[in-house]
Amino acid sequence: MFLAKDHCLGLAFHDIHIIFFQGKGLFAKKNINKGDVIFEETPIVSTQFLWNELYKYKACEYCMKSLETAEEQARRLSTNPHLSLPHPECDITDQSPYVDCPGCQVTYCCELCRKTALDEYHQVLCMGPSRLSEDNDHPLARLQETWRNIHYPPETSSIMLIVKMVALVKQAKDKSTVLQKFSQFVKNTVNEEDEIVHKLLGKQFQEQLELLRQMTADFIFEENVSQWFTPEGFRSLFALIGTNGQGIGSSSISVWVKNCEDLAIPDEEKEQLDAFIDQLYEDMDKVSGTFLDCEGSGLYLLQSTCNHSCIPNAEITFPNNNHKLVLVAKENISQGEEICTCYLSECDVSRSRHSRQKFLKENYLFTCGCVKCLSEADQADVTSEEEEEDEENDME
C-alpha cells in the first residue's frame, strides 16, 4: 500500500506530492508546464569545498554567494589583471552589504547571513584571531588540512558538512527538531556505506576515516549525538552525505553572462560579445580548470527525494548565485507523474548505457531502470574508445 502525504517543511513549493514506497519519490500533484518552478529550497546545511576555498574563491560562509564582482573574478581566474568586461551594467554584484565575523574575520554577503550562521552554528566553529595567523593550530584548521590531504580535487563532499551538522545540534535549543530533519535522509546498509566511503576517501579509507573521526570528536564532540562519533556512526554520516549531498555552484561571471544574453543589442554586437565570452571561458579554463565556480555541497530535504532518470523532466538550478536550489520543469509533467532529475553531468548522460550504469552503480549504488536505459538494454556492455581512455586516465 502507498503511504502518501504532503511534505511541508517550511519550503516554497506547490503542485508536488511525495510518495514513500520502498524509498522516496517526488510526484506531481497537478499538471506542471515546461519552465515552471516546481519548488525552491534552502539547505539544512551547506559548505564551500575546502580546496575551492584554498584556491581563493571568495564566497559567503553561510549561503555560498560569490563575493567577487564578475570582473574581479574574471581577472583572477584568467590571471589577467587588466581584463575589462564589456557591459558592466550586467554585473549586479553589490558588495556594500558585506560584513565580517568580528571574531575570525570570515566574510558574509550580508548581516542576515552573518547573524543566521552565528545563531545556528558559528558560535561553535569560530576560530577567532587564529584563523588568519600563519601558524594556525586551531583544531578545526588541523581537521580541514587533514581533509585536504586525504581528499584531493575534485571534491565530492566535505568534512565540514559533518562538522556543521554537529554544530547545528550543539547550538540548537530544540535539538530534537534538528535531529528529526537529519533523520529524513536516505539511509544505507553497512555494505553500501563501505562502498560510498571507499569512493569518497580512496583505498585506505578505513585508516583515513578513523583519523577524521578522532579529530572531529576531539574538536566538537556532542553528547546528544554521541552515536555519530562511534566508528559505525561516523561511517554512516559519511555515507549519508555521500548519498544525499547535492553539489552547489555559484559564480558572479555566470550571472553577468546570463544578463548579457538578455541584452537588446544589434546582431553584430551580439556576435562580438558571444565571441568575447567564449574566449574568456577558454582563457579561464586554461588557468583555473575545475576551479571556475564556487563549489560546495549541501543537504536538501526535498531535493533528496528526487529520483534519477537519464532523460529527466526537471533540472536543478542555482539562479540566485547562492545555495538556494530551484527545481525547474524541463518538460510538461502530468498529474501523478514522477518528477526526476539527472545525477549525471551533461557529458556523462550522452555516453553509452553501460558507462552511465557503471557510474551510477559506483557512485549511487543503484541500477538505473529509466525509459532510456530500458530502450538501450540490447546494447553491448562495452564503452566507446573515448570512454575507455577517460577511464584509463582516471586510474592513473
Side-chain angles (χ1 to χ4, degrees), residues 15-134:
D15 295 343
I16 59 177
H17 202 147
I18 287 185
I19 296 177
F20 296 88
F21 182 65
Q22 295 182 343
K24 293 184 178 180
L26 193 65
F27 294 79
K29 200 171 183 180
K30 298 193 296 186
N31 292 337
I32 300 173
N33 296 321
K34 179 179 179 179
D36 284 354
V37 171
I38 301 172
F39 66 77
E40 299 179 355
E41 181 182 15
T42 55
I44 299 175
V45 60
S46 66
T47 186
Q48 184 182 15
F49 287 146
L50 291 176
W51 277 104
N52 197 272
E53 182 181 358
L54 188 69
Y55 273 75
K56 308 300 181 185
Y57 204 115
K58 299 176 182 177
C60 174
E61 193 280 329
Y62 180 74
C63 76
M64 283 185 57
K65 179 179 180 179
S66 177
L67 299 179
E68 298 170 293
T69 66
E71 190 165 88
E72 288 173 341
Q73 196 174 97
R75 288 178 174 179
R76 177 175 61 82
L77 294 174
S78 65
T79 62
N80 181 358
H82 306 297
L83 178 67
S84 295
L85 296 185
H87 298 286
E89 71 276 11
C90 291
D91 183 3
I92 58 174
T93 305
D94 180 10
Q95 297 179 318
S96 61
Y98 295 178
V99 59
D100 293 341
C101 167
C104 64
Q105 302 302 305
V106 70
T107 305
Y108 297 92
C109 67
C110 62
E111 177 61 23
L112 178 60
C113 277
R114 187 198 70 81
K115 187 177 186 306
T116 304
L118 187 67
D119 290 345
E120 290 186 356
Y121 59 80
H122 193 65
Q123 294 176 47
V124 174
L125 303 185
C126 182
M127 287 190 272
S130 64
R131 175 179 169 270
L132 299 178
S133 64
E134 292 185 4

Side-chain angles (χ1 to χ4, degrees), residues 1-9 13 15-21 23-29 180 183-184 302 305:
M1 178 177 179
F2 286 98
L3 174 61
K5 64 177 181 178
D6 288 334
H7 199 277
C8 297
L9 295 164
F13 69 92
D15 295 343
I16 59 177
H17 202 147
I18 287 185
I19 296 177
F20 296 88
F21 182 65
K24 293 184 178 180
L26 193 65
F27 294 79
K29 200 171 183 180
Q180 173 61 25
S183 72
Q184 296 183 59
L302 199 51
T305 67

Side-chain angles (χ1 to χ4, degrees), residues 3 235 307 396:
L3 174 61
R235 180 192 60 205
N307 288 318
E396 292 177 355

Side-chain angles (χ1 to χ4, degrees), residues 264-279:
I265 56 178
D267 290 344
E268 184 177 350
E269 186 178 350
K270 179 66 172 174
E271 290 178 5
Q272 293 175 347
L273 179 58
D274 289 344
F276 176 89
I277 292 172
D278 289 342
Q279 186 62 51

Side-chain angles (χ1 to χ4, degrees), residues 47-53 57-59 64 153-158 246-251 289-298:
T47 186
Q48 184 182 15
F49 287 146
L50 291 176
W51 277 104
N52 197 272
E53 182 181 358
Y57 204 115
K58 299 176 182 177
M64 283 185 57
E155 285 183 86
T156 54
S157 185
S158 178
Q246 167 63 46
I248 302 169
S250 64
S251 168
T290 58
F291 293 99
L292 289 180
D293 292 335
C294 171
E295 295 186 339
S297 183

Side-chain angles (χ1 to χ4, degrees), residues 4 32-33 60 119 131 145 161 199 216 242 291 327-328 334 341 348 359 392:
I32 300 173
N33 296 321
C60 174
D119 290 345
R131 175 179 169 270
E145 178 65 20
L161 274 180
K199 187 72 177 180
T216 304
F291 293 99
L327 189 70
V328 180
S334 302
T341 59
D348 289 331
F359 177 88
E392 289 175 3

Side-chain angles (χ1 to χ4, degrees), residues 351 382-393:
R351 297 190 174 193
V382 293
T383 57
S384 66
E385 291 182 2
E386 178 185 8
E387 291 168 336
E388 289 173 353
E389 287 180 4
D390 288 342
E391 289 176 3
E392 289 175 3
N393 291 335

